[in-house]
């Protein structure tokens, strides 16, 4: 046995010339592949778990949005989508039950009488007609002001407001239920009767809110 032969190897790996035995190393490529696959699998599981948590917090496991007042009908159940019920009709005061005092705060002569006559033709009860009080005369830059008692029915303001676009509401210390219509500089004419009638119809029969899509 040569002195260059490693102990315990006998003569099997005898070194001759410049040849040396190659000691095998444990392969690392397999470990790298397993590590990469494990990382990809872990990321996938983490993403799936996050998605499930998001759906749970949304309130529906299958990702559909619930309809108003409950969940969407199950798929394949054959149940039709619930249609929102019609909103109940609103009881409004009739124009004849609303007393309107028409005052002119503009420099145009005869404006209060012309508007008062038109309101009377549309069914309103017209009270006093004339020039605006000194507190408002030539001091109303907008279309007009509806002035009444703090106790005046708000529905009466709404009904009268359909006749005039851009009006504002104010109150004073009066006790009665009558409402002053003070015409301002921006006033040109009352809303067309057809337009006012449409607004009155919408006030009396408001459209129901649409249900959210599933």
């Amino acid at each position: 046995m040569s002195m260059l032969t490693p102990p315990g190897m006998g003569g099997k790996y005898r070194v001759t010339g410049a040849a040396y035995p190659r000691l095998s190393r444990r392969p690392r490529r397999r470990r790298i592949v397993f590590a990469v696959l494990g990382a990809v699998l872990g990321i996938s599981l983490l993403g799936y778990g996050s998605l499930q948590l998001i759906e749970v917090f949304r309130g529906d496991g299958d990702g559909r949005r619930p309809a108003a007042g409950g969940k969407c009908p199950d798929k394949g159940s054959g149940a039709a989508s619930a249609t929102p019920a019609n909103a109940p009709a609103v009881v409004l005061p009739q124009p004849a039950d609303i007393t309107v005092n028409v005052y002119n705060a503009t420099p145009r002569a005869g404006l209060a009488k012309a508007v008062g006559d038109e309101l009377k033709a549309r069914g309103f009860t017209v009270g006093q007609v004339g020039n605006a009080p000194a507190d408002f005369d030539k001091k109303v830059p907008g279309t007009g002001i509806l002035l009444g008692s703090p106790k005046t029915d708000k529905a009466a303001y709404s009904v009268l407001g359909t006749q005039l676009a851009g009006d504002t509401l104010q109150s004073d210390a009066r006790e009665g239920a009558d409402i002053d219509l003070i015409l301002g500089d921006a006033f040109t004419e009352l809303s067309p009767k057809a337009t006012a009638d449409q607004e009155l119809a919408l006030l009396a029969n408001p459209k129901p809110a649409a249900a959210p899509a599933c």
Side-chain angles (χ1 to χ4, degrees), residues 73-173:
D74 295 334
K75 294 179 179 179
S77 63
S81 300
T83 35
N86 291 330
V90 178
V91 179
L92 297 174
Q94 296 298 314
D97 298 330
I98 302 174
T99 299
V100 186
N101 304 314
V102 185
Y103 297 111
N104 181 13
T106 76
R108 289 173 284 173
L111 185 61
K113 184 179 185 308
V115 172
D117 291 343
E118 180 62 26
L119 288 175
K120 187 179 296 185
R122 296 185 184 189
F124 289 88
T125 299
V126 176
Q128 299 183 28
V129 176
N131 294 327
D135 291 344
F136 296 97
D137 192 27
K138 314 297 187 301
K139 300 175 183 177
V140 181
T143 303
I145 295 175
L146 301 183
L147 181 66
S149 166
K151 299 179 181 179
T152 299
D153 185 4
K154 298 300 184 292
Y157 286 122
S158 299
V159 172
L160 181 56
T162 61
Q163 312 298 315
L164 179 70
D167 56 87
T168 58
L169 300 181
Q170 293 186 22
S171 60
D172 55 17

Side-chain angles (χ1 to χ4, degrees), residues 25-121:
R25 293 185 178 181
R26 193 172 181 178
R28 299 178 60 188
R29 181 176 299 175
R30 185 176 301 174
R31 287 188 295 172
I32 294 174
V33 171
F34 284 148
V36 172
L37 291 177
V40 172
L41 181 60
I43 293 174
S44 300
L45 291 175
L46 181 61
Y48 179 75
S50 300
L51 181 61
Q52 293 299 315
L53 284 175
I54 291 173
E55 290 182 350
V56 168
F57 283 112
R58 282 180 179 173
D60 200 343
D62 59 4
R64 294 176 296 168
R65 293 184 180 180
K71 291 185 176 181
C72 297
D74 295 334
K75 294 179 179 179
S77 63
S81 300
T83 35
N86 291 330
V90 178
V91 179
L92 297 174
Q94 296 298 314
D97 298 330
I98 302 174
T99 299
V100 186
N101 304 314
V102 185
Y103 297 111
N104 181 13
T106 76
R108 289 173 284 173
L111 185 61
K113 184 179 185 308
V115 172
D117 291 343
E118 180 62 26
L119 288 175
K120 187 179 296 185

